[in-house]
Amino acid sequence: MKYLLRLRVPSVMLLRFAVAAVAACTVALAGCASVPGSERQGQTPKNIIIMFADGAAPTQWDFGRYSSKVLRQQPFVTTDHVFREGTVGLLITAPQGAYVTDSAAAGSAMATGFKVENGVVSISPDGKSVPTAMEAAKAKGKRIGLVTTATIYDATPATFSIHAKSRRDSQALVDQFLRLEPDVLMGGGADYFLPVGVPGGKRKDGRDVIAAFRTKGYQVVRNTAELQAATAAKVLGLFADDDMDFEIERDPAKEPTTAEMAVAALKALSQNSPNGFVLLVENENVDTAGHANDAASLMRALWAFDDAVKVALEFQRSSPDTLVVITGDHETGGFSPTYAQKDLTSMSSSNRFYTGDAQLRMLERITMSFNAISEKLGKKPSAAVLDELLAKHFPGFRLDPDLRELILKQQPLERNYSYGVQNVLGRMVARQTGYYWGTSGHTPEPVLVGAMGPGAELFRGYQDNTDFGRHLHRLINGR
Ligand SMILES: [Zn+2]
């Protein structure tokens, strides 16, 4: 293996694995005998780990790669190991009836092999609830798990397991989870598990679904310490009332990292699993940061995702009959780092800068997400509060008068920017760093798929996202 890769999974995380073999291989992939990869062609995996960065396409992955190298002095294993050493493919993301997809249509295609319309959760245009990857896995006697930084009933975990005409029907989606009984459910979204009247509760039927899961034998965990102490084979982890926080604002005692959730999920799923398991681990903050055009939050979300990929690869070292697939569902934000003029006084090349390490270091110094700023500013932004927040959390950045006016008047940059304050702040950062964005929405840029382990070869080449779903079903059903 020509590329020496060091995995830096914190030793405390590794200790939590029941399997001693994992620890034996922590130092370097290169130090272990063989890398599970294309040599296992034609085989069927026992376990499948799907690592999902919502909103990530090649530009995001590469941003993760060079920012991790420069600012963390760490390889980005998604690109530097899986894409480099494993099988690589691209997926077309178009939904039924359009070219730009939402996460529900994309997730449905990837989970079922069928195109669906935007907003729909794994129901085909002719109204059929087509089998999801998690349903297929369960039917084969496999254990199943869903992990996300979003609400657990958000589009990706929902489409991979259950069905609904609308992704917004949160209460009904939670009811379906209770019926399906995934062995592991971890993320945010306690609100639709608890009735109105209980702190954070939003259910209108008065039910306490957390208690219902407990009755079914689940260990329920609500913070990082409880998660790390969890020993049961079935775990419900709810760490926020709605979405979990961006890394930049995350309270580590309340909310675990994506990697910590992945460790705990693997620990639970590898118990009593003679037929293996299928686990989906999603970092949704990659998409959320993209919608906000927030490059600093995106960078940290990508690192958090990559740390979880390390956990999946470590598990694969001890269980080589495991397929690890890394992908996204669509691109978010039309993310376009570029060169740009420093100001509008001259179009000459001498007035131009190229995005480089100095600009990355400016991003590194940002200490608040655009979403948090927007929340602080509220519906009637005050100039004084805005100035104070920017001075404190955006050292070295200046807000030009045109952008300042847009924020104070609560106006968007253009018609394709739906998040007023956030997208305007995104333009502020872009003007000094070159990290521009083309939209606050999704784009049809094909997404990358990287795979290692038995079955990886199926994901090679330029394919449709429904092909991804068909491959998953084939591998789950034993080809
Ligand atoms: Zn999105």
Side-chain angles (χ1 to χ4, degrees):
M1 197 168 116
K2 58 186 183 304
Y3 193 83
L4 187 81
L5 175 81
R6 293 197 168 272
L7 292 181
R8 300 191 187 179
V9 181
S11 55
V12 275
M13 281 163 48
L14 290 169
L15 285 174
R16 299 186 193 286
F17 274 123
V19 192
V22 174
C25 268
T26 53
V27 184
L29 276 183
C32 296
S34 71
V35 175
S38 51
E39 74 274 16
R40 299 178 66 92
Q41 272 202 15
Q43 294 185 19
T44 302
K46 179 182 177 192
N47 310 308
I48 302 177
I49 306 175
I50 305 158
M51 301 297 304
F52 208 91
D54 199 296
T59 312
Q60 279 81 358
W61 293 128
D62 215 47
F63 177 50
R65 180 189 62 75
Y66 60 75
S67 63
S68 184
K69 185 172 168 218
V70 172
L71 300 179
R72 303 210 293 178
Q73 289 84 48
Q74 283 187 38
F76 192 72
V77 293
T78 299
T79 52
D80 299 353
H81 182 59
V82 179
F83 292 169
R84 192 180 282 252
E85 309 282 344
T87 296
V88 167
L90 280 170
L91 298 180
I92 299 162
T93 68
Q96 176 73 24
Y99 294 114
V100 182
T101 191
D102 80 330
S103 287
S108 298
M110 296 170 82
T112 69
F114 290 87
K115 288 285 186 203
V116 317
E117 286 160 16
N118 280 334
V120 175
V121 177
S122 294
I123 294 181
S124 62
D126 56 2
K128 284 199 190 99
S129 288
V130 277
T132 62
M134 293 300 175
E135 286 174 327
K138 199 157 175 131
K140 277 280 166 188
K142 290 181 184 291
R143 307 193 71 225
I144 57 174
L146 301 160
V147 172
T148 181
T149 63
T151 61
I152 192 63
Y153 50 80
D154 197 46
T156 308
T159 52
F160 268 80
S161 42
I162 52 185
H163 310 271
K165 289 200 176 107
S166 166
R167 61 183 285 184
R168 303 283 165 217
D169 201 353
S170 308
Q171 186 171 307
L173 292 171
V174 168
D175 293 343
Q176 283 195 57
F177 278 136
L178 184 63
R179 283 199 290 278
L180 180 68
E181 290 187 46
D183 302 284
V184 166
L185 276 174
M186 290 176 192
D191 51 1
Y192 281 99
F193 285 72
L194 294 169
V196 173
V198 170
K202 284 189 184 164
R203 288 187 70 92
K204 304 218 163 59
D205 61 359
R207 285 185 80 192
D208 179 344
V209 181
I210 292 180
F213 269 98
R214 219 179 250 121
T215 307
K216 288 194 171 200
Y218 283 75
Q219 185 168 4
V220 176
V221 294
R222 300 300 308 271
N223 58 46
T224 307
E226 286 177 14
L227 176 75
Q228 290 176 341
T231 52
K234 294 177 86 156
V235 179
L236 171 66
L238 293 170
F239 307 106
D241 289 338
D242 46 22
D243 291 333
M244 290 170 70
D245 282 332
F246 280 122
E247 276 305 300
I248 217 163
E249 275 119 18
R250 187 177 59 83
D251 174 348
K254 283 189 188 146
E255 298 188 7
T257 61
T258 311
E260 286 167 333
M261 290 195 286
V263 167
L266 289 168
K267 184 177 159 191
L269 289 175
S270 38
Q271 297 178 42
N272 326 318
S273 69
N275 302 317
F277 61 81
V278 178
L279 170 64
L280 172 79
V281 178
E282 177 189 44
N283 186 297
E284 175 68 18
N285 286 335
V286 172
D287 176 69
T288 311
H291 283 294
N293 297 171
D294 187 341
S297 294
L298 170 65
M299 181 170 82
R300 287 179 173 80
L302 288 164
W303 295 350
F305 175 80
D306 202 55
D307 289 342
V309 172
K310 290 172 195 166
V311 172
L313 293 174
E314 289 290 347
F315 182 87
Q316 190 187 48
R317 302 270 350 147
S318 66
S319 303
D321 47 0
T322 301
L323 170 68
V324 176
V325 187
I326 301 180
T327 189
D329 48 354
H330 54 71
E331 196 274 346
T332 304
F335 186 44
S336 27
T338 186
Y339 49 81
Q341 304 305 115
K342 290 177 193 154
D343 52 48
L344 295 177
T345 57
S346 156
M347 302 280 273
S348 89
S349 58
S350 63
N351 191 35
R352 180 182 295 167
F353 72 97
Y354 287 80
T355 296
D357 291 356
Q359 287 73 27
L360 272 184
R361 294 193 196 286
M362 286 188 77
L363 294 184
E364 190 184 27
R365 289 195 289 271
I366 293 172
T367 54
M368 196 171 186
S369 71
F370 295 166
N371 282 358
I373 296 241
S374 171
E375 211 165 286
K376 281 241 156 129
L377 287 174
K379 288 206 163 33
K380 287 191 179 144
S382 124
V385 174
L386 176 62
D387 289 341
E388 199 188 307
L389 288 172
L390 293 183
K392 189 168 171 204
H393 297 286
F394 292 77
F397 284 93
R398 57 155 209 281
L399 185 64
D400 294 333
D402 59 327
L403 299 181
R404 190 182 166 81
E405 195 181 321
L406 288 176
I407 291 179
L408 295 177
K409 287 189 175 165
Q410 292 278 278
Q411 284 173 345
L413 279 169
E414 241 298 345
R415 297 170 203 203
N416 58 336
Y417 292 90
S418 312
Y419 302 83
V421 170
Q422 292 93 319
N423 298 151
V424 176
L425 289 172
R427 187 60 58 86
M428 172 189 79
V429 167
R431 283 179 182 175
Q432 282 174 265
T433 63
Y435 286 97
Y436 280 85
W437 300 81
T439 177
S440 69
H442 300 168
T443 74
E445 181 181 347
V447 291
L448 264 171
V449 181
M452 293 190 106
E457 76 281 358
L458 293 178
F459 299 92
R460 181 178 295 129
Y462 192 66
Q463 306 191 17
D464 193 74
N465 59 4
T466 51
D467 294 323
F468 180 98
R470 278 198 283 275
H471 300 327
L472 268 190
H473 280 264
R474 197 173 145 195
L475 293 172
I476 290 165
N477 289 318
R479 295 193 184 232

